[in-house]
Structures are given as structure tokens and as C-alpha cells.
Amino acid sequence: MDCIFCKIVEGSIPSKKVFENDHVLAFHDISPAAPVHILIIPKKHIATMNDVEPDDFGLIGEVHRAAQQIAREQGVAESGYRLINNCNRNGGQVVYHIHYHLLAGEQLGPLNAK
Ligand code: AMP
Ligand code: ZN
């Protein structure tokens, strides 16, 4: 499958990993939008939020569990962070393997700044 994040999961494309278990992988975004910008993905290929099926909700919970741990380990849990999923064109999704952006390390702008 021609999916860049599946290739990162397989290891055929390198990444700077910050977290990995059997189901979830997290790595630094190649083009950071904040001092801390980490992408958290399920290893399973799910294209978008719209494609999450009932059996996947436990897996999405695992992604959230990883986000919580990563925020602690990055030292930003208390100062705060933003966890973002972009879905489809208007959401700004570019990579069609579901992922959450964990952004932190500075005061982030208001959501209505777009
Ligand atoms: P989105 O617009 O939500 O689909 O976000 C895709 C993100 O993936 C962007 O922030 C890109 O900078 C990031 N990205 C693309 N290719 C790579 C890569 N090889 N390693 C790390 N991050 C990547
Ligand atoms: Zn994929």
C-alpha cells in the first residue's frame, strides 16, 4: 500500500520515534508547527476519522492513552497541549492514515485564527 505512515510503521521510511507499542506509534513531525509537534498513529491503516469502525474505538483509546503518556514524558502535560485530528479536505488532511497531532511548548493561537 502506498501510504507514507504505513511505511514509517514498517521502518522503510525513517522517523524520530518517541513512543511505540504493539498498536500505536508516535514520532516527531518532519515540519514542526510548534516547539513540540508529535504525530501519534495507530499502526493499523485507517484512512480517516470517517473510517473508524466500532471495533477500532479501543484502538483510538490506545492512541489517546499514548498521547497522555507522551505529553507527560515531553514535560508539557501541565503547561498544556493540543491534540488535533484533521479529517478530509476541509479539515486540512494531507496524509490519509489517521493521525493525531500533539502540539505544545508555547501558547497556541485561538482556533478561530484558522
Ligand atoms: P495532516 O495535514 O493532518 O494530514 O498532517 C500530515 C503531517 O504529516 C504534516 O504535519 C507533515 O509535516 C507530516 N509528515 C509528512 N511526512 C512526514 C514524515 N515522513 N515524517 C514525519 N512527519 C511527516
Ligand atoms: Zn497507512
Side-chain angles (χ1 to χ4, degrees), residues 29-61:
D29 195 291
I30 204 165
S31 178
V36 176
H37 188 171
I38 291 165
L39 300 175
I40 310 169
I41 71 172
K43 289 185 172 179
K44 176 183 177 182
H45 182 87
I46 299 171
T48 80
M49 183 62 82
N50 294 334
D51 301 299
V52 175
E53 295 184 354
D55 280 353
D56 298 319
F57 283 118
L59 178 58
I60 298 302

Side-chain angles (χ1 to χ4, degrees), residues 2 8-10 22 24 35 44-45 49 57-58 62 71 75 87 101-102 112-113:
D2 197 22
I8 285 176
V9 169
E10 293 162 10
D22 286 349
V24 177
K44 176 183 177 182
H45 182 87
M49 183 62 82
F57 283 118
E62 290 297 321
C87 182
H101 300 254
L102 192 155
N112 65 7

Side-chain angles (χ1 to χ4, degrees), residues 1-113:
M1 190 187 305
D2 197 22
C3 169
I4 189 169
F5 287 176
C6 282
K7 288 178 179 162
I8 285 176
V9 169
E10 293 162 10
S12 57
I13 290 178
S15 67
K16 287 171 63 184
K17 290 180 191 174
V18 298
F19 176 95
E20 182 167 19
N21 67 19
D22 286 349
H23 303 291
V24 177
L25 179 67
F27 50 91
H28 288 281
D29 195 291
I30 204 165
S31 178
V36 176
H37 188 171
I38 291 165
L39 300 175
I40 310 169
I41 71 172
K43 289 185 172 179
K44 176 183 177 182
H45 182 87
I46 299 171
T48 80
M49 183 62 82
N50 294 334
D51 301 299
V52 175
E53 295 184 354
D55 280 353
D56 298 319
F57 283 118
L59 178 58
I60 298 302
E62 290 297 321
V63 170
H64 281 252
R65 192 208 300 270
Q68 199 182 54
Q69 181 179 326
I70 292 162
R72 268 199 310 270
E73 289 172 354
Q74 295 287 319
V76 300
E78 296 310 318
S79 54
Y81 55 95
R82 192 169 283 164
L83 195 61
I84 297 173
N85 167 253
N86 295 327
C87 182
N88 276 343
R89 187 183 60 253
N90 279 1
Q93 186 170 7
V94 173
V95 177
Y96 281 79
H97 180 132
I98 195 170
H99 54 278
Y100 288 79
H101 300 254
L102 192 155
L103 295 162
E106 65 184 7
Q107 179 64 60
L108 299 168
L111 287 176
N112 65 7

